Amino acid sequence: MAISRSIRRTKPITMVLAGLLAFGFLVFLFSPSSNAVAVSTAKRKFDSAAAHPLSPPTAPFQKAPPSMNGKRPPPPVVHYHMNNLTTTSDPIGNQENVLILTPLARFYQGYWDNLLALSYPHSLISLGFITPKTREGNAATAALQAAIAQTQNGPEDKRFASISILRQDFDPPISSQDESERHKKENQKARRSAMSRARNSLLFTTIGPYTSWVLWLDADIVESPPNLIQDLTSHDKPVIVPNCFQRYKNDKGQWDVRPYDYNSWQDSQTAADLAKNLAQDDILLEGYGDVATYRTLMAKTADTSEGRDQKAITPLDGVGGTALLVKAEVHRDGAMFPPFAFYHLMETEGFAKMARRLGWSCWGLPNYFVYHYNE
């Protein structure tokens, strides 16, 4: 077939340019616009956002777009079906949200590394922190924010569902957070009262209608198992706490372990009799040799052998808060951390008493360990 004269005279470069132009037109015609991609991304973010500006920060709230006449629609009425919320021994299978709460006066990298290593889906974990208005608190907040920025801008499977940071609206009762100062007996009542106020502020501000479990995890817990959440929830108990130990070098210069938290215990008649003779605002403390309560301390019943039964469980009357798992409905029922003498108990021990008064049981895992930082 004869080739037309106009085509024969066309230069090859012209043909190439014409082909590229045609290809570009087809790409423009059939590919989604950048605006459509942006709209799709915004919709995904909006779908996962909080339902209402007054909702707890389980997810960031984003304002609804304005209507066509320039006015925003009225705030929605949000319904939460609390009876559909589950707290089970299979929290992953049931997609149960866990809120991890930490009063944080110092930032320890080991603590943050343990959070990142948790095998529970991070998309089901929200974090809440409260830091004091001190120089140490400022440094801890700065370090925490740096760690958060790196994590939340990193791989998606490592990001947490939401993170909240509160600053205390009251001054701490003691200026130093050194271990020796924190544990002085004369500082305990004021210190525990302040800790209770901080815990309550953090809890009441961050717990959401979709929260199934609340895990209280102290900032100086620098070693905990990756399966911590699954291991604790597997017992399906309202309140449960592992044993808190501490690694140290013994007299032979070898690494060893020793009990750290003595606030998890079974009550005794001796302690009950001592409480009867206390003034209304006095509290009964554990871990101090000048008062013998003869309570059964979970820290003293631990089996530290390698073949120990880590699932062994025991009922408790008092609990510590270093790694304390609570069904959210226990808190919703009103169990909080009394900043005053409640049956001569305060903070986590007072919480256990309050939970039991509300009809909930408290349990401990004497052979399951988390480890406290050694100063």
Side-chain angles (χ1 to χ4, degrees):
M1 183 175 66
I3 301 176
S4 69
R5 191 174 189 182
S6 62
I7 295 179
R8 287 200 308 269
R9 289 181 178 179
T10 303
K11 295 181 180 180
I13 186 64
T14 305
M15 298 292 290
V16 171
L17 290 174
L20 290 174
L21 182 62
F23 178 75
F25 177 77
L26 291 174
V27 170
F28 174 80
L29 188 63
F30 293 106
S31 65
S33 68
S34 59
N35 184 58
V37 173
V39 170
S40 176
T41 302
K43 184 179 185 302
R44 286 198 305 271
K45 289 183 178 179
F46 186 80
D47 287 344
S48 64
H52 188 273
L54 298 181
S55 297
T58 50
F61 173 75
Q62 295 187 358
K63 293 181 179 179
S67 61
M68 295 302 293
N69 60 6
K71 295 182 179 180
R72 296 189 184 278
V77 176
V78 185
H79 295 264
Y80 297 107
H81 300 281
M82 305 303 289
N83 287 336
N84 296 335
L85 196 65
T86 62
T87 48
T88 65
S89 58
D90 182 19
I92 296 179
N94 292 309
Q95 293 289 286
E96 293 169 2
N97 292 290
V98 178
L99 175 63
I100 300 179
L101 298 181
T102 300
L104 187 141
R106 289 179 176 177
F107 180 82
Y108 294 100
Q109 188 62 44
Y111 160 85
W112 188 257
D113 291 342
N114 287 335
L115 284 183
L116 296 181
L118 287 173
S119 59
Y120 199 82
H122 288 199
S123 60
L124 296 175
I125 298 176
S126 294
L127 305 179
F129 303 91
I130 187 167
T131 61
K133 297 189 303 178
T134 61
R135 182 176 296 179
E136 279 188 317
N138 293 339
T141 303
L144 174 63
Q145 289 175 324
I148 289 172
Q150 183 177 2
T151 298
Q152 297 299 86
N153 288 302
E156 287 197 19
D157 62 334
K158 291 295 183 181
R159 299 176 189 173
F160 297 99
S162 68
I163 301 177
S164 303
I165 303 176
L166 280 65
R167 297 305 300 269
Q168 285 180 196
D169 56 355
F170 57 90
D171 294 325
I174 56 176
S175 57
S176 174
Q177 286 297 314
D178 289 341
E179 187 173 324
S180 58
E181 193 68 21
R182 292 200 316 268
H183 292 294
K184 284 183 179 179
K185 188 177 180 181
E186 59 269 24
N187 290 335
Q188 289 311 296
K189 189 174 181 181
R191 174 180 170 272
R192 294 190 184 197
S193 178
M195 280 296 299
S196 294
R197 293 174 63 192
R199 288 184 186 273
N200 291 334
S201 296
L202 184 56
L203 172 66
F204 298 151
T205 305
T206 57
I207 191 170
Y210 297 120
T211 304
S212 292
W213 301 89
V214 178
L215 174 62
W216 293 94
L217 191 63
D218 277 2
D220 35 24
I221 296 301
V222 294
E223 188 179 341
S224 56
N227 291 335
L228 177 66
I229 294 175
Q230 297 95 306
D231 291 342
L232 297 184
T233 56
S234 68
H235 294 274
D236 196 18
K237 297 298 185 184
V239 179
I240 192 167
V241 60
N243 234 335
C244 180
F245 270 51
Q246 186 180 59
R247 298 191 186 278
Y248 76 106
K249 284 190 175 181
N250 58 27
D251 295 337
K252 299 179 181 179
Q254 299 173 336
W255 283 105
D256 205 344
V257 297
R258 61 189 175 194
Y260 183 86
D261 189 355
Y262 294 97
N263 294 331
S264 298
W265 40 259
Q266 294 174 344
D267 217 345
S268 68
Q269 187 58 50
T270 301
D273 293 338
L274 286 171
K276 291 177 182 178
N277 297 319
L278 294 176
Q280 182 178 356
D281 294 330
D282 288 344
I283 59 174
L284 198 57
L285 299 169
E286 282 301 332
Y288 297 91
D290 58 335
V291 179
T293 63
Y294 297 101
R295 289 167 172 160
T296 301
L297 306 180
M298 187 172 75
K300 296 295 188 180
T301 65
D303 177 4
T304 59
S305 66
E306 290 189 6
R308 63 185 181 276
D309 179 12
Q310 296 190 44
K311 292 186 177 181
I313 190 167
T314 184
L316 295 175
D317 298 301
V319 297
T322 52
L324 174 65
L325 184 73
V326 182
K327 288 190 175 185
E329 57 189 314
V330 177
H331 282 311
R332 291 193 185 100
D333 273 3
M336 53 83 164
F337 302 90
F340 49 85
F342 182 73
Y343 289 85
H344 304 292
L345 302 169
M346 292 182 83
E347 207 209 348
T348 59
E349 295 167 303
F351 160 77
K353 184 68 173 180
M354 194 173 292
R356 288 172 58 81
R357 291 285 295 169
L358 288 166
W360 300 102
S361 57
C362 300
W363 300 83
L365 301 176
N367 304 331
Y368 189 101
F369 302 141
V370 296
Y371 293 91
H372 194 280
Y373 180 79
N374 189 345
E375 297 183 15

